[in-house]
Amino acid sequence: MKNIVLYKKLSAELMTRLRQQAQVTCIDDLSADGLARLRDALPTAHGLLGASLRLDAGLLDLAPQLEAVSSVSVGIDNYDLDYLTRRGILLTNTPDVLTETTADTGFALILATARRVTELAAWVRAGQWQKSIGPAQFGSDVHGKTLGIVGMGRIGEALARRGHFGFGMPILYHSSSPKPEVEQRYAAGYRSLEALLEESDFVCLTVPLTAATEGLIGARELARMRPESILINISRGKVVDETALLEALQAGRLRAAGLDVFEREPLPADSPLLRLDNVVATPHIGSATHETREAMARCAVDNLLAALAGQRPANLVNPAALEVARTTA
């Protein structure tokens, strides 16, 4: 049987599936002790399954028999794709199953920031609601406002569908290339990034983290947004320059920000972002529902078992590794 190192807790059903087909070593946490156990297990590992761990060459060099890495995520920025491909190690991820849930999170942040939900809920809990509210507590409408989506992939399209059909929002988008089918479905307009920032009431980021998107939204880009507009980030924290965002919010050059991702995670408790009433900060909950996380884990198990059985996984990120694996087998 092949050896699998698991650094992600799975349901009993999925654990049974894995153990029926492989020897499984479980790393319960990624503390110093857990990482030491992971290092000890790598020399005999044929497969890895988990998330939220940066697997660099320093770690993977310890795994000479490794055939596949199955990530319980859609993002692949924790992996050195070139290194994995050179070694013929297959990398898989879990797209599709988290699309709708992550789009729900994006819209939750749109609503929470526009209507000041968390701020005013805290205001009520603090005993400050002592008479009828006035303009000082008013928020802004969502319906009919312009939604600008940066990155028109699966999640971007799911946001566009919600905005167009659910809230009557004009849709603008920016991506690596125009998408005529999206434009037809949602009456969406393709824009340059600069034009989208200038024209949108809500700017929602759904791009992956790459060399091209790191720092995509900095001081210059934020300056193009209108003072009444709102930034939503459900992509990756490093897509936004947080220092520049903080300055824009403090100076009133931006109405609010809804952030599910940050440059450093977990977000430090002393982050100045948390001192601003017009920031809604959530702990990277994009796909965090019981149903979706189980679906992601099931997809990751399917991917890994297929790879270790010599089959092409459904969600293979680096198909070039297949040829390398064949020639070195």
Side-chain angles (χ1 to χ4, degrees):
M1 296 181 96
K2 297 288 179 74
N3 294 316
I4 292 174
V5 177
L6 175 68
Y7 53 98
K8 176 81 173 177
K9 290 184 179 180
L10 300 181
S11 65
E13 175 191 348
L14 294 177
M15 286 300 301
T16 298
R17 279 192 61 202
L18 282 179
R19 286 180 168 141
Q20 286 172 342
Q21 301 184 54
Q23 297 287 339
V24 182
T25 299
C26 297
I27 309 298
D28 295 329
D29 63 72
L30 294 175
S31 63
D33 288 343
L35 287 173
R37 290 187 61 224
L38 175 67
R39 287 175 173 274
D40 290 342
L42 285 174
T44 58
H46 299 98
L48 300 178
L49 189 152
S52 303
L53 174 64
R54 185 163 190 82
L55 293 176
D56 56 20
L59 272 178
L60 295 181
D61 281 345
L62 301 174
Q65 301 183 69
L66 191 62
E67 300 174 22
V69 176
S70 183
S71 182
V72 192
S73 68
V74 65
I76 56 171
D77 44 288
N78 274 338
Y79 307 94
D80 185 336
L81 200 57
D82 290 338
Y83 170 91
L84 292 171
T85 302
R86 284 197 306 272
R87 279 194 51 190
I89 299 170
L90 308 188
L91 176 65
T92 65
N93 65 346
T94 59
D96 298 328
V97 293
L98 53 70
T99 296
E100 299 299 331
T101 299
T102 305
D104 284 350
T105 301
F107 239 92
L109 289 172
I110 288 171
L111 289 164
T113 50
R115 299 305 305 269
R116 300 169 61 184
V117 173
T118 56
E119 175 192 353
L120 293 177
W123 184 77
V124 172
R125 286 181 182 274
Q128 294 179 282
W129 187 23
Q130 298 177 358
K131 60 181 180 180
S132 296
I133 65 168
Q137 289 79 43
F138 290 173
S140 58
D141 283 336
V142 174
H143 64 274
K145 296 294 182 70
T146 299
L147 174 60
I149 301 170
V150 181
M152 188 53 76
R154 296 179 183 90
I155 296 169
E157 186 169 348
L159 278 167
R161 187 172 69 251
R162 285 160 173 74
H164 176 69
F165 291 114
F167 290 83
M169 303 175 82
I171 306 298
L172 303 179
Y173 75 99
H174 175 75
S175 65
S176 55
S177 61
K179 298 185 181 295
E181 67 283 2
V182 170
E183 295 173 15
Q184 185 174 11
R185 286 185 197 124
Y186 311 116
Y190 179 81
R191 295 288 191 275
S192 67
L193 178 60
E194 293 76 13
L196 181 146
L197 295 171
E198 292 169 358
E199 297 177 40
S200 300
D201 297 300
F202 300 91
V203 173
C204 192
L205 308 177
T206 68
V207 294
L209 179 62
T210 66
T213 62
E214 184 169 351
L216 180 68
I217 304 298
R220 183 174 59 181
E221 290 73 26
L222 292 167
R224 289 184 176 274
M225 295 176 65
R226 300 195 298 267
E228 64 272 18
S229 59
I230 292 173
L231 180 71
I232 305 295
N233 190 6
I234 55 171
S235 59
R236 286 293 185 266
K238 291 183 179 180
V239 171
V240 177
D241 180 337
E242 281 184 11
T243 300
L245 175 60
L246 178 67
E247 291 174 354
L249 289 165
Q250 289 174 326
R253 297 195 301 273
L254 210 60
R255 179 183 292 273
L259 308 173
D260 188 44
V261 290
F262 303 89
E263 290 181 350
R264 178 182 166 192
E265 295 181 5
L267 182 68
D270 62 353
S271 169
L273 287 169
L274 298 178
R275 296 197 290 269
L276 299 181
D277 289 336
N278 58 345
V279 170
V280 176
T282 51
H284 205 149
I285 63 170
S287 63
T289 67
H290 294 292
E291 301 92 338
T292 295
R293 288 295 175 87
E294 180 68 6
M296 291 170 66
R298 187 180 307 113
C299 179
V301 168
D302 291 343
N303 287 334
L304 185 57
L305 292 178
L308 296 183
Q311 302 165 7
R312 182 187 176 111
N315 301 293
L316 181 61
V317 174
N318 57 339
L322 281 171
E323 187 59 33
V324 177
R326 290 192 191 104
T327 58
T328 57

